[in-house]
Amino acid sequence: MNNDNKKATLELGTKPVGSLLLQYALPAIIAMTASSLYNIIDRVFIGQVVGAEAISGLAITFPFMNLGAAFGAAVGVGASTSISVKLGQRDYLTAENLLGNTVTLNLIIGIAFSLVCLLFLNPILRFFGASDATLPYARDFMEIILAGNVVSHMYFGMNAVLRAASKPRQAMMATIFTVVMNILLDVVFILWWHWGIRGAALATVLSQSMALCYQMHLFTNKRELLHLKPGIYRLKSALVKNIIAIGVSPFLMNVCACVVVIFVNNQLVRLGGDMAVGGYGIANAVATVFVMFVLGLNQGMQPIAGYNYGAQNMHRVLQVLNLAIVCATCIMVVGWAVAMFLPHTIARLFTTDSRLIDMAVTAIRFVLLVFPVIGFQMVVTNFFQCIGKVRISIFLSLSRQLLILVPLLGLLPLFFQLNGVWYAMPASDAAASVIAFFVMANYIGKLKAQVKERQTTLTH
């Protein structure tokens, strides 16, 4: 066993929380932000080189990508959280078996998802809001993405496990490598070889494949605390149930995001046409940059909260939660300011089409209107997931994306037409944040009582 790696794991329970959060979150934030930036660069290349309809076609693929991510998150997040807790309990054998089961599950689910979706690709894209004009672009993109879907599942799953295994820098490097290679391949495939939207998809799959080779190389090092070896790949029902039980929350979050985007796209096509869908796609790409900042912060919080919850260090659990909430709020305030004061500048990066620019400006302002309170809601939802309170995490996820937003998407357009679709998004975000506040306030009281009881026990 690598003593340095074991020491790094044990530091999760002893090192100052602020330093730990910076140590784990900064690489994740850099990696997640870089990931969102290459998605933006993909869209910039496609919008500027291929055209406005291609941007709208790419926007149709958002729910499809979210659906694929839902299955990947169920395994990756579930496994990494389980591993963090087991490391906190110093149960290294189970943690290693969780690693092996993660590989097997990603292979099975990734291949099955690709086969099913490729068989029914056209009907699925139509259901997601594709029109006669945008369907060819969406199909060209998703055929290649689905062909490499098992690579994407494995890549994201292994990155999550790297963070849980006290290797946030390596996880960051894998993502940055993916981003750099994706951009370089975009230049070659789209600008030089004129492969259009297929070139963007191929660049994504190839860059993730190369990064996955690097990740697998890390996990084959026998000196590491967690490493791949014979005997850990056979699925064990107890481990699989544990992974899925925790992974249900991020799975439902992504499925809800998929359902919501389907509703939004169909309403936008009906009330505003393909340009409205394209405008929403641009706004989504911009919002994703700041959401990824917070997701990176959450990923940094996850091993710290999971380890200390497993070790029953409740005061450290509360410390990392409070710090993450403050940081997430600051990030989202910056996002709000950019959306309110620079929407035209942002829209022009993606397209020169005046109709699409006007629609994107409106979409950007509404999608990011209440961002200052969304950071809190995202951290709280992820916190409950980190400590294994799956039902609470699922409820908070559903409240924002499904229970409130979908009814508003059906109701408000009856009165405000296209504007009703835009109004529904900030309204649901604000309501979900209020719900998260009251749920968190109730649970914080219980956690503080546990901290006080533990301190009393120690003094006696």
Side-chain angles (χ1 to χ4, degrees):
M1 181 183 294
N2 189 326
N3 289 328
D4 291 339
N5 188 245
K6 186 173 181 180
K7 180 182 177 182
T9 302
L10 295 175
E11 282 182 347
L12 290 168
T14 57
K15 194 172 180 178
V17 168
S19 300
L20 275 175
L21 187 59
L22 181 64
Q23 175 185 337
Y24 279 80
L26 187 58
I29 289 172
I30 293 172
M32 296 296 286
T33 304
S35 179
S36 66
L37 285 177
Y38 90 72
N39 285 328
I40 284 181
I41 290 168
D42 268 353
R43 283 150 183 77
V44 169
F45 273 112
I46 290 167
Q48 297 289 351
V49 177
V50 186
E53 285 185 343
I55 281 280
S56 299
L58 197 61
I60 296 298
T61 69
F62 284 161
F64 220 147
M65 302 286 278
N66 281 335
L67 188 59
F71 288 95
V75 177
V77 175
S80 62
T81 302
S82 299
I83 288 171
S84 292
V85 172
K86 291 302 176 184
L87 291 175
Q89 297 170 347
R90 305 189 185 185
D91 185 355
Y92 303 125
L93 179 60
T94 302
E96 205 160 56
N97 277 283
L98 282 163
L99 170 62
N101 277 222
T102 302
V103 173
T104 305
L105 283 172
N106 274 318
L107 283 173
I108 294 171
I109 295 173
I111 293 172
F113 181 83
S114 295
L115 292 176
V116 172
C117 291
L118 283 170
L119 285 173
F120 303 99
L121 187 54
N122 273 9
I124 293 172
L125 290 173
R126 288 286 189 186
F127 179 69
F128 286 174
S131 67
D132 290 339
T134 58
L135 179 63
Y137 295 108
R139 182 180 178 87
D140 284 349
F141 186 80
M142 286 308 304
E143 281 178 341
I144 294 175
I145 292 295
L146 287 171
N149 182 65
V150 67
V151 171
S152 298
H153 275 229
M154 194 69 70
Y155 161 72
F156 287 115
M158 291 299 99
N159 242 25
V161 175
L162 278 174
R163 287 187 293 271
S166 303
K167 292 190 174 295
R169 289 185 181 179
Q170 286 85 341
M172 177 188 71
M173 292 305 298
T175 305
I176 291 177
F177 173 82
T178 306
V179 172
V180 172
M181 287 306 304
N182 193 94
I183 294 171
L184 292 175
L185 292 174
D186 271 345
V187 172
V188 175
F189 295 162
I190 300 175
L191 286 183
W192 294 357
W193 294 354
H194 304 289
W195 287 359
I197 203 165
R198 280 186 172 272
L202 187 59
T204 298
V205 172
L206 288 178
S207 59
Q208 290 178 350
S209 299
M210 288 184 277
L212 179 60
C213 292
Y214 164 72
Q215 293 169 330
M216 288 304 185
H217 172 71
L218 291 176
F219 280 116
T220 55
N221 186 350
K222 295 181 180 180
R223 296 179 65 249
E224 295 297 335
L225 184 62
L226 295 179
H227 62 271
L228 298 171
K229 63 181 182 181
I232 63 173
Y233 304 104
R234 184 176 179 180
L235 295 180
K236 298 183 178 180
S237 59
L239 299 184
V240 172
K241 288 178 182 178
N242 197 33
I243 290 172
I244 300 303
I246 296 172
V248 162
S249 177
F251 173 79
L252 289 177
M253 287 174 66
N254 282 281
V255 169
C256 287
C258 174
V259 171
V260 166
V261 176
I262 291 171
F263 270 89
V264 172
N265 282 344
N266 279 280
Q267 289 286 58
L268 289 175
V269 167
R270 184 174 66 86
L271 299 170
D274 290 333
M275 290 301 103
V277 175
Y280 176 59
I282 291 173
N284 234 345
V286 175
T288 298
V289 173
F290 299 97
V291 168
M292 287 296 186
F293 265 97
V294 178
L295 289 179
L297 182 69
N298 282 343
Q299 288 179 2
M301 177 181 72
Q302 181 264 321
I304 305 169
Y307 182 97
N308 284 286
Y309 188 80
Q312 291 296 295
N313 293 329
M314 294 304 173
H315 67 288
R316 290 176 63 81
V317 173
L318 287 174
Q319 284 180 335
V320 74
L321 170 65
N322 291 332
L323 188 55
I325 288 173
V326 171
C327 293
T329 301
C330 293
I331 290 167
M332 289 311 215
V333 167
V334 173
W336 173 86
V338 170
M340 295 304 108
F341 299 110
L342 298 172
H344 289 87
T345 303
I346 294 169
R348 289 191 188 98
L349 292 174
F350 292 86
T351 180
T352 56
D353 188 292
S354 59
R355 298 170 302 158
L356 185 53
I357 289 174
D358 290 342
M359 198 64 74
V361 167
T362 299
I364 289 168
R365 283 178 168 160
F366 277 109
V367 169
L368 283 77
L369 184 61
V370 297
F371 254 38
V373 299
I374 289 303
F376 166 82
Q377 198 271 350
M378 290 178 64
V379 170
V380 168
T381 300
N382 185 75
F383 169 74
F384 284 112
Q385 174 187 302
C386 289
I387 62 174
K389 303 295 181 181
V390 179
R391 291 183 180 179
I392 300 175
S393 181
I394 291 172
F395 168 71
L396 293 177
S397 302
L398 292 176
S399 69
R400 180 187 174 197
Q401 301 187 74
L402 196 64
L403 301 180
I404 301 172
L405 180 54
V406 170
L408 289 179
L409 286 170
L411 179 63
L412 295 183
L414 297 176
F415 301 96
F416 305 106
Q417 299 300 309
L418 178 60
N419 283 338
V421 180
W422 304 130
Y423 298 159
M425 299 178 201
S428 65
D429 284 346
S433 297
V434 172
I435 292 171
F437 173 80
F438 284 107
V439 171
M440 191 71 244
N442 179 60
Y443 197 78
I444 283 289
K446 296 179 181 178
L447 277 180
K448 287 183 176 178
Q450 290 182 33
V451 172
K452 187 176 181 180
E453 181 180 349
R454 183 176 177 82
Q455 288 175 341
T456 302
T457 303
L458 290 174
T459 55
H460 290 82

